[in-house]
Amino acid sequence: MKSFLALAVSLLGLSATPVAGEVQYLWGEYGARMEKRIAPAVEKRSELVPRLEERQALACANGPTSRNCWSSGFNINTNMYQSWPNTGRIVSYDLSITNTTCNPDGHGARVCLLINNKLPGPVIIANWGDTLRITIRNKMQHNGTSIHWHGLRQLNSNIQDGANGVTECALAPGDAKTYQFRATEYGTSWYHSHFSGQYGDGVIGTIIINGPATANYDIDLGTYTLSDWYYITSFQAGARAFNFGLGGPPPTGDNILINGTNKNAQGGGAYSKVTLTPGKTHRLRLINTAVDASMRVALDNHTFTVIANDFVPVVPYTTNWIQIGIGQRYDVLITANKTSGNYWFRSDVEPNCQSANNGAGRAIFTYQGATVADPTTSPPINPPTGCNNPASTPKIALNVPSAQFASQAQTLPVAFGPVVTNGQNVVLWTINGTSMIVDPGKPTIKYIAEHNTSYPTSYNLVEVPSSSQWTYWIVQQAATAPPIAHPIHLHGHDFFILGTGSGQFSSSNLGQLTFTNPPRRDVAFLPGGGWLVLAYPTDNPGAWLMHCHIAFHVSMGLSVQFLERKSEISLPAVNSEWYNTCTNWNNYQRNKPVYPQDDSGLKKRWPPVVGGEFSGV
């Protein structure tokens, strides 16, 4: 109103200097009569003279000194939950998953499941607002699959989310399907199998959605994956993890891979090598793609400036160490302003998050012009204490309504103990009292398409009230559960982290919650023996999975799904590829597959073979 009033005074030829009361009087006296005369001029002027920020956007191109810019009308201040560019561009990829072998750290070849014969698989690169069209070909002989595009919002495209048993049927051996969705957000992520422990054997790749940034940089080094590696297959490791419920320890990883490589304990293999240009600032996109391990990351003698976590741009902050839970991403800037030479990049498991591994993740960062050699540098001092969600500040400030919290917040208890399933009394993870088991041949979306509300109890489905614009969840470790930190991942949304703490959540913890621009991301730690309070707006119709991203835990049922705005879900067209995928999968199942389902269906095999002595390919 203030800018409109000033413009009105100017157009009327009145003095621009009267006090507020005089202006209000003039407007009240003549407003009704003059509004008709003024409005056309205001509208015309608005067409001819864009607002200052619009003029800046038009004149501003993304570059090393203007990373906040992007395209006409879109920049780092654009709320990407509400608007995004429409590029009209389709970016296509063709990805094949095959049974093969690999030897990423020189220890020896073992069975691997790879995408286009690479570990990690191809990098998918697109621009903010592009449409991605990605064909997946299942060339494995005895494995189904489904590919989840981790962190992608999938606004109104729930059936493209890639969670078999929830949003689609599994893809049978020999079958192919095409995913298509819009990149409504920008930043760094990854894609991975959501069928069994497959991604631990190599069914992963990374994603870059180009867009603006909260700080300037010169060179984009691309994605950098951090992963645990087992010398047995992930299927074997998953089966042995089941023995944890029978009194044995879960398996320990044998090494840490950085961008798909490392040296083994005997010195074989090779380190990942990265070149830094002296005097330049580099963007590095860190992604934890592990099966079981949270990571602690540092670059000797250098600091990280964090500009994004997951798909959320943040106000830049500087740190020596970063804790990265499974599925989390950090976009960091590294300035090459130290003495020319070689520096260790470190990715070790984070014991504060109850992670363990027999190896040490190492890579060599070398200044351009220096001879590559093993570094002699030392790690930064003061490593992290505790298993934490950093208190980042989102660049786009958004608040969460607090008035509804007390009446609408619901508790999702996480427990570990005996569960009766398939006629057996087994020890499993549960959330909300249920250990999830889904049927990859009859996903939740199929129930909805058939107007069938008889969802199996084991689908662990919670229907979100359609009348509410926000939903609030207290994820709580049961007092009897092992005090293990769980990286909790939500599909279809960034959640707002209102708070986290130790012990049991109660009314005394309400003062610890933050409703004013709290941190946002799509993976956050539920601390061992503690609680995590999340909120998200119910603005994306679909069946959305929320689960622990430790593959062994989701295999043992630590998942829940939210059914959101059911009547508005965009369902697959009759006789479409979506239905053909289901038909082909169910035909495959009727032929008695080599490896029947024996776990949750999201990470397979149920009930497990106790010895775990099969390869799973």
Side-chain angles (χ1 to χ4, degrees), residues 61-377:
N62 185 271
T65 61
S66 57
R67 295 296 181 185
N68 60 310
C69 304
W70 188 242
S71 63
S72 179
F74 297 93
N75 56 42
I76 194 61
N77 295 311
T78 302
N79 183 346
M80 62 177 140
Y81 302 118
Q82 297 179 349
S83 60
W84 47 86
N86 183 5
T87 65
R89 192 173 77 132
I90 296 176
V91 179
S92 299
Y93 285 85
D94 196 298
L95 307 177
S96 295
I97 308 172
T98 56
N99 297 341
T100 183
T101 60
C102 66
N103 184 15
D105 72 345
H107 175 266
R110 75 153 174 91
V111 169
C112 297
L113 307 176
L114 300 184
I115 302 174
N116 291 11
N117 208 37
K118 296 179 179 179
L119 180 67
V123 182
I124 291 174
I125 303 175
N127 291 333
W128 185 23
D130 285 350
T131 294
L132 290 109
R133 182 181 292 165
I134 306 169
T135 298
I136 302 295
R137 303 183 189 279
N138 182 1
K139 296 184 178 181
M140 298 177 288
Q141 289 82 3
H142 304 298
N143 260 255
T145 197
S146 70
I147 300 298
H148 171 54
W149 315 98
H150 184 110
L152 272 295
R153 188 180 176 196
Q154 300 292 358
L155 181 64
N156 296 315
S157 57
N158 179 235
I159 63 172
Q160 307 297 328
D161 189 51
N164 61 235
V166 179
T167 62
E168 64 179 64
C169 293
L171 188 66
D175 202 4
K177 73 170 292 184
T178 299
Y179 295 87
Q180 182 166 307
F181 50 88
R182 177 75 67 83
T184 62
E185 57 277 283
Y186 55 85
T188 302
S189 199
W190 61 308
Y191 59 96
H192 60 84
S193 170
H194 228 300
F195 180 102
S196 78
Q198 270 178 2
Y199 87 73
D201 285 332
V203 189
I204 65 166
T206 60
I207 300 171
I208 295 175
I209 307 297
N210 291 312
T214 59
N216 292 328
Y217 58 91
D218 301 293
I219 299 168
D220 192 333
L221 295 172
T223 55
Y224 215 47
T225 58
L226 319 168
S227 184
D228 46 15
W229 186 247
Y230 292 78
Y231 294 152
I232 57 176
T233 70
S234 64
F235 293 99
Q236 293 170 318
R240 294 179 186 181
F242 175 79
N243 290 335
F244 180 50
L246 305 177
T252 300
D254 295 290
N255 209 347
I256 302 294
L257 302 183
I258 298 179
N259 224 30
T261 189
N262 197 4
K263 286 192 173 183
N264 62 49
Q266 289 73 44
Y271 295 123
S272 170
K273 297 180 178 64
V274 175
T275 300
L276 299 178
T277 302
K280 299 295 185 180
T281 298
H282 308 72
R283 179 176 184 167
L284 188 65
R285 301 166 183 264
L286 301 170
I287 310 169
N288 186 338
T289 63
V291 169
D292 187 48
S294 295
M295 303 290 181
R296 174 192 293 179
V297 176
L299 176 60
D300 291 357
N301 292 24
H302 293 74
T303 58
F304 295 133
T305 298
V306 179
I307 62 171
N309 52 223
D310 299 351
F311 268 135
V312 179
V314 301
V315 176
Y317 67 91
T318 301
T319 182
N320 291 326
W321 295 92
I322 298 179
Q323 287 179 325
I324 310 183
I326 302 171
Q328 291 185 331
R329 292 90 67 206
Y330 284 86
D331 288 45
V332 302
L333 303 185
I334 303 165
T335 299
N337 56 5
K338 304 300 181 183
T339 302
S340 180
N342 297 281
Y343 297 88
W344 283 123
F345 177 92
R346 303 171 186 272
S347 179
D348 294 318
V349 293
E350 178 52 271
N352 294 314
C353 299
Q354 297 78 50
S355 293
N357 192 280
N358 294 325
R362 295 290 182 269
I364 300 175
F365 279 50
T366 302
Y367 277 55
Q368 189 176 49
T371 301
V372 178
D374 285 3
T376 58
T377 55

